């Protein structure tokens, strides 16, 4: 790059200019002479500066493109402010009606909330949606759904924040119930409700936890004495077998193979039928004549037999405390005969009385089996291999049992096409366990009375 030289000072002026500064270091002169010389040199210097001011400096070959330089310098000097200005010049993202948030200084900030369509949910939550259409999506009527929302509102409701509006209680509950009812992938649930995938997953767990803490004590509990007497009377009118307080059954829920202790969850019957390794957890439940659960035991590994699960359940603890005296729990051949558990005869060449007893007992056992059919049919998430973490699965399964009870108590009808056939759940025992003489005599006495009663 070529730069033209510019005349600044001639030799005489330069000599005078330099001597001006050198005289300050000269200690031999008096202060008066020094002051006089300074005044003279100041006058000479002022004359030099006036000459320079009147001199025109050629700039044709010495021009600097200042526009680009100033722009870049401005951007570099105000980098952060420039970013803020750019962000504010853009139109702010809207959410829940187009609102924006303000920081402490009253300045508006952008809210990074992705807009999603909520048309499907808004239609179902409106008066235009018929009860049949609502029931198909949530397996219950609007009235039952409203009752659940009212019960859970105090626990599920969240407050609005400065950054976003809270998801309404009804939408939170709907996400959970729809996910349990259909078993659809979270991606599908996300698109239907206009929420993020991770948000839907979080809502399912939060609402299931609320159902366990709020609704389970009300809708899944051991009956009191008055209710227990009603159950015995109803079961007795159905089968003729006295003092039956419930019918028990155990079902398996398929799971992804756990990372640890896989052999405990290995399901032999499912594996043999599907010809590939299968793993499961269990749900054991006692039901009343309506098919409502009065006791559940959830989460034991699928390799355990029905009898082993019963021994570890709260129901067995009640028997040890004397709460099941003079009553019967009806089970299938997967359980041992006990002083409080009544099971069918399993040996060959049954007598007429024993055969009649098995038929009556099977009627009561079908009440429990039908209840589990409706449980799995109504809540489709139980029909497929669940993706819920193993430690969170009992909470989800317990929520399904509570919702099942609510639907049964409110006489919610289930569509015929939703009926689910149970398979690979019943297990035969080896019969090696020694049965008490009192239990054998009690069962024989019931079989004899059934045969000879009119």
């Amino acid at each position: 790059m070529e730069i033209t030289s510019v005349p600044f000072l001639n030799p005489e002026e330069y000599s005078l200019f330099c001597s001006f500064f050198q005289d300050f270091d000269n200690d031999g002169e008096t202060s008066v002479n020094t002051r006089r010389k300074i005044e003279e040199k100041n006058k000479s210097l002022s004359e030099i500066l006036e000459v320079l001011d009147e001199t025109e400096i050629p700039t044709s070959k010495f021009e600097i493109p200042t526009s680009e330089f100033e722009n870049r310098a401005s951007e570099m000097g105000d980098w952060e402010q420039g970013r803020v200005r750019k962000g504010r010049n853009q139109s702010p993202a809207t959410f829940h009606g187009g609102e924006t948030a303000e920081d402490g200084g009253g300045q508006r900030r952008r809210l990074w909330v992705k807009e999603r369509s909520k048309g499907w949910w808004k239609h179902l939550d409106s008066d235009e949606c018929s009860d049949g259409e609502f029931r198909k999506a949530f397996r219950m009527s609007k009235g039952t759904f409203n009752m659940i929302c009212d019960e859970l509102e105090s626990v599920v409701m969240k407050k609005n924040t400065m950054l976003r509006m809270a998801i309404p209680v009804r939408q939170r509950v709907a996400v959970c119930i729809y996910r349990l009812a259909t078993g659809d992938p979270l991606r599908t649930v996300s698109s239907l409700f206009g929420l993020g995938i991770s948000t839907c997953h979080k809502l399912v767990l939060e609402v299931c936890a609320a159902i366990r803490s709020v609704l389970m004590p009300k809708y899944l509990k051991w009956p009191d004495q008055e209710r227990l007497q009603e159950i015995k009377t109803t079961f007795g009118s159905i089968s003729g077998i006295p003092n039956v307080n419930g019918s028990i059954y155990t079902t398996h829920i398929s799971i992804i193979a756990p990372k640890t202790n896989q052999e405990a969850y290995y399901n032999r019957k499912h594996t043999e039928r599907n010809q590939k390794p299968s793993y499961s957890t269990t749900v054991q439940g006692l039901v009343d004549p309506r098919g409502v659960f009065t006791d559940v035991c959830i989460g034991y590994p699928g390799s355990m037999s029905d009898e082993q699960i019963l021994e570890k359940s709260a129901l067995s603890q009640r028997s040890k405390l004397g709460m099941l005296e003079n009553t019967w729990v009806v089970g299938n051949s997967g359980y041992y005969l006990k002083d409080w558990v009544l099971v069918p005869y399993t040996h060959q060449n049954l007598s007429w009385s024993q055969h009649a007893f098995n038929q009556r007992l099977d009627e009561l056992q079908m009440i429990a089996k039908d209840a589990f059919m409706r449980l799995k049919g109504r809540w489709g998430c139980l029909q497929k291999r669940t993706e819920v973490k193993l430690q969170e699965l009992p909470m989800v399964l317990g929520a399904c049992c509570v919702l099942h009870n609510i639907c049964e108590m409110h006489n919610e009808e289930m569509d015929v096409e939703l009926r689910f056939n149970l398979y690979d759940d019943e297990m035969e025992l080896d019969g090696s366990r020694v049965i008490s003489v009192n239990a054998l005599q009690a069962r024989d006495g019931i079989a004899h009375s059934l045969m000879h009663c009119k």
Side-chain angles (χ1 to χ4, degrees):
M1 180 173 62
E2 180 183 0
I3 300 178
T4 305
S5 61
V6 179
F8 185 69
L9 296 175
N10 56 36
E12 182 181 355
E13 293 169 344
Y14 180 78
S15 175
L16 178 62
F17 186 78
C18 291
S19 63
F20 170 77
F21 293 98
Q22 292 175 358
D23 288 338
F24 283 100
D25 297 329
N26 189 358
D27 298 332
E29 295 182 326
T30 62
S31 59
V32 176
N33 295 334
T34 302
R35 189 179 299 107
R36 185 182 297 112
K37 289 182 179 181
I38 291 175
E39 292 177 355
E40 293 176 356
K41 292 176 180 180
N42 283 340
K43 181 178 180 180
S44 301
L45 181 60
S46 61
E47 294 175 355
I48 295 172
L49 295 177
E50 290 178 1
V51 173
L52 290 176
D53 290 338
E54 297 175 358
T55 304
E56 293 184 2
I57 301 176
T59 58
S60 58
K61 297 184 179 181
F62 195 67
E63 294 180 355
I64 299 177
T66 58
S67 59
E68 182 179 357
F69 173 78
E70 291 176 355
N71 291 339
R72 292 182 181 274
S74 177
E75 292 179 0
M76 295 176 65
D78 301 328
W79 179 257
E80 291 298 330
Q81 296 181 3
R83 293 177 61 184
V84 173
R85 285 196 298 270
K86 290 181 179 180
R88 292 172 186 167
N89 289 336
Q90 297 176 3
S91 58
T94 59
F95 71 107
H96 300 293
E99 297 182 6
T100 58
E102 295 184 355
D103 57 16
Q107 296 178 341
R108 302 173 72 84
R109 293 183 296 173
R110 298 189 62 187
L111 303 179
W112 297 95
V113 180
K114 183 178 180 180
E115 288 293 334
R116 295 181 174 91
S117 174
K118 299 179 177 63
W120 181 85
W121 161 241
K122 289 182 178 179
H123 169 70
L124 289 178
D125 195 34
S126 65
D127 296 336
E128 298 177 357
C129 177
S130 64
D131 199 65
E133 186 178 1
F134 190 91
R135 188 191 305 274
K136 186 175 182 179
F138 299 102
R139 308 296 191 260
M140 61 182 66
S141 63
K142 290 184 178 181
T144 302
F145 177 81
N146 293 337
M147 182 274 296
I148 294 175
C149 292
D150 293 339
E151 292 276 359
L152 299 180
E153 182 175 5
S154 59
V155 179
V156 174
M157 183 175 60
K158 303 294 182 181
K159 295 182 179 180
N160 299 332
T161 66
M162 183 179 64
L163 294 180
R164 65 182 66 202
M165 302 290 290
I167 302 173
V169 172
R170 293 177 60 82
Q171 189 174 5
R172 289 175 176 269
V173 177
V175 168
C176 177
I177 294 180
Y178 181 84
R179 166 74 165 162
L180 299 180
T182 63
D184 286 349
L186 286 172
R187 185 175 299 276
T188 302
V189 180
S190 170
S191 63
L192 292 176
F193 286 90
L195 301 172
I197 295 177
S198 60
T199 301
C200 292
H201 175 68
K202 183 179 179 181
L203 290 179
V204 171
L205 298 181
E206 287 181 354
V207 175
C208 285
I211 291 174
R212 180 184 62 180
S213 61
V214 177
L215 298 182
M216 183 175 284
K218 296 181 180 180
Y219 295 97
L220 204 165
K221 59 182 179 179
W222 187 254
D224 55 20
Q225 291 298 322
E226 181 179 357
R227 176 59 185 156
L228 193 59
Q229 186 58 44
E230 294 178 1
I231 291 174
K232 292 179 181 180
T233 302
T234 305
F235 273 131
S237 62
I238 293 174
S239 63
I241 301 176
N243 298 324
V244 175
N245 64 12
S247 180
I248 193 170
Y249 190 83
T250 302
T251 190
H252 289 253
I253 309 298
S254 296
I255 62 174
I256 298 175
K259 296 181 180 179
T260 59
N261 201 19
Q262 291 187 4
E263 61 278 4
Y265 293 88
Y266 181 78
N267 190 308
R268 178 179 55 82
K269 295 191 71 174
H270 283 204
T271 300
E272 293 175 352
R273 185 179 66 86
N274 298 325
Q275 298 300 314
K276 61 181 180 180
S278 179
Y279 303 87
S280 65
T281 187
T282 58
V283 177
Q284 187 174 89
L286 185 73
V287 304
D288 66 9
R290 296 180 297 173
V292 174
F293 292 108
T294 57
D295 183 88
V296 291
C297 182
I298 299 172
Y300 281 104
S303 64
M304 295 178 62
S305 66
D306 298 350
E307 177 63 24
Q308 290 174 326
I309 298 172
L310 179 61
E311 288 292 333
K312 295 180 177 297
S313 67
L315 197 62
S316 180
Q317 297 300 320
R318 289 191 178 94
S319 70
K320 295 177 181 179
L321 295 175
M323 299 175 61
L324 301 180
E325 290 183 359
N326 302 320
T327 61
W328 295 104
V329 170
V330 173
N332 53 31
S333 56
Y335 302 93
Y336 286 114
L337 179 67
K338 298 183 178 67
D339 293 335
W340 55 281
V341 179
L342 203 57
V343 298
Y345 293 95
T346 56
H347 60 270
Q348 300 292 327
N349 302 319
L350 299 179
S351 65
W352 284 104
S353 61
Q354 292 172 345
H355 182 72
F357 173 84
N358 282 0
Q359 287 183 328
R360 299 291 182 89
L361 204 68
D362 186 62
E363 293 178 1
L364 300 184
Q365 179 60 191
M366 282 303 300
I367 294 176
K369 191 172 183 178
D370 286 343
F372 274 92
M373 287 182 179
R374 293 194 298 275
L375 173 70
K376 283 193 169 183
R378 183 176 280 124
W379 310 114
C381 65
L382 307 180
Q383 302 175 14
K384 57 187 70 175
R385 188 173 64 177
T386 180
E387 299 176 356
V388 180
K389 293 181 180 179
L390 199 58
Q391 61 269 24
E392 298 171 344
L393 188 56
M395 179 178 62
V396 176
L397 298 179
C400 291
C401 293
V402 173
L403 293 174
H404 165 86
N405 278 6
I406 293 176
C407 291
E408 295 292 322
M409 293 177 181
H410 288 78
N411 299 318
E412 296 286 351
E413 297 182 0
M414 192 179 72
D415 295 339
V416 178
E417 62 269 16
L418 296 178
R419 184 176 178 83
F420 182 80
N421 294 323
L422 300 178
Y423 52 85
D424 296 342
D425 284 340
E426 299 180 15
M427 299 182 178
E428 296 287 341
L429 295 175
D430 53 16
S432 60
R433 183 173 177 176
V434 177
I435 307 300
S436 69
V437 176
N438 291 335
L440 291 171
Q441 291 177 350
R443 183 173 65 175
D444 290 341
I446 295 175
H448 183 270
S449 63
L450 291 176
M451 184 67 185
H452 295 87
C453 67
K454 296 182 180 179

